[in-house]
Amino acid sequence: MIAVVGHRDLSASTLVLVEEELRARLTGFARAGRAGLVRAGRGLPIAFGRAARQAGLALVTVLPSRNGVPAQLTGQDRTAAGELLMLSEQVRLVEYDPSDRGSCVSADESLLRNCARVLAVWDGSPSNGRDVTAHLVAYARSHGADVEVVWPRGAAHEAVRREPS
């Protein structure tokens, strides 16, 4: 399995660059019969799902569940999950609360333990209170996964939106 982790605040133009880069990298894995694994959500998961499909890579999408029943995603994550389901060959239910950051991190860690390779869409910055990409990269490496960092030239985070005062 090949998983993807990365920043959740990528700009729209960066997602286009990332999708192109992922597609190029995934083509070889598709020929080798590998599968891609992604936890449902907006942004990077959609870019990965589209790239996997275009590269011919089988896609497995992970949905949250509670007591074996799919849990409701909200807003843009729900719309994104719908698209990922259409792109996927398989769906896995994993027990986690999509509204709880710690629960999502634990779910990601459990997924990474079962992957031989991780594509990390990461600018190299340390983890902070909102972004745990560096933590997930270190976690994957500590569990023996090969980690490839993907950060295309011109990649950027979304501009911080400030509320009017």
Side-chain angles (χ1 to χ4, degrees):
M1 278 291 188
I2 302 156
V4 66
V5 298
H7 300 298
R8 290 189 51 94
D9 65 344
L10 300 174
S11 69
S13 61
T14 295
L15 287 169
V16 171
L17 294 171
V18 165
E19 185 176 326
E20 291 171 6
E21 180 70 22
L22 290 174
R23 182 177 51 250
R25 292 184 189 216
L26 294 174
T27 300
F29 296 119
R31 281 190 231 119
R34 302 276 177 92
L37 179 67
V38 66
R39 185 168 58 82
R42 68 185 176 278
L44 178 58
I46 290 291
F48 181 76
R50 290 173 182 165
R53 183 64 163 208
Q54 291 168 356
L57 186 76
L59 182 65
V60 178
T61 296
V62 173
L63 293 176
S65 70
R66 291 191 184 108
N67 301 319
V69 176
Q72 181 95 7
L73 291 167
T74 59
Q76 292 177 334
D77 284 335
R78 183 177 184 179
T79 302
E83 182 176 346
L84 284 167
L85 291 176
M86 297 301 293
L87 295 170
S88 295
E89 291 189 18
Q90 184 180 20
V91 176
R92 290 188 185 170
L93 295 177
V94 173
E95 293 280 330
Y96 73 94
D97 179 353
S99 65
D100 179 81
R101 180 180 177 274
S103 182
C104 291
V105 172
S106 292
D108 286 339
E109 290 172 346
S110 72
L111 298 175
L112 293 176
R113 284 193 298 270
N114 298 308
C115 292
R117 181 169 302 276
V118 175
L119 299 176
V121 180
W122 180 43
D123 64 3
S125 62
S127 290
N128 59 31
R130 291 182 35 214
D131 190 302
V132 296
T133 304
H135 164 77
L136 293 173
V137 166
Y139 187 88
R141 287 177 173 153
S142 74
H143 284 80
D146 290 327
V147 176
E148 289 182 43
V149 174
V150 176
W151 193 252
R153 172 172 271 148
H157 298 273
E158 282 182 323
V160 176
R161 294 183 187 147
R162 297 183 185 210
E163 297 297 319
S165 38

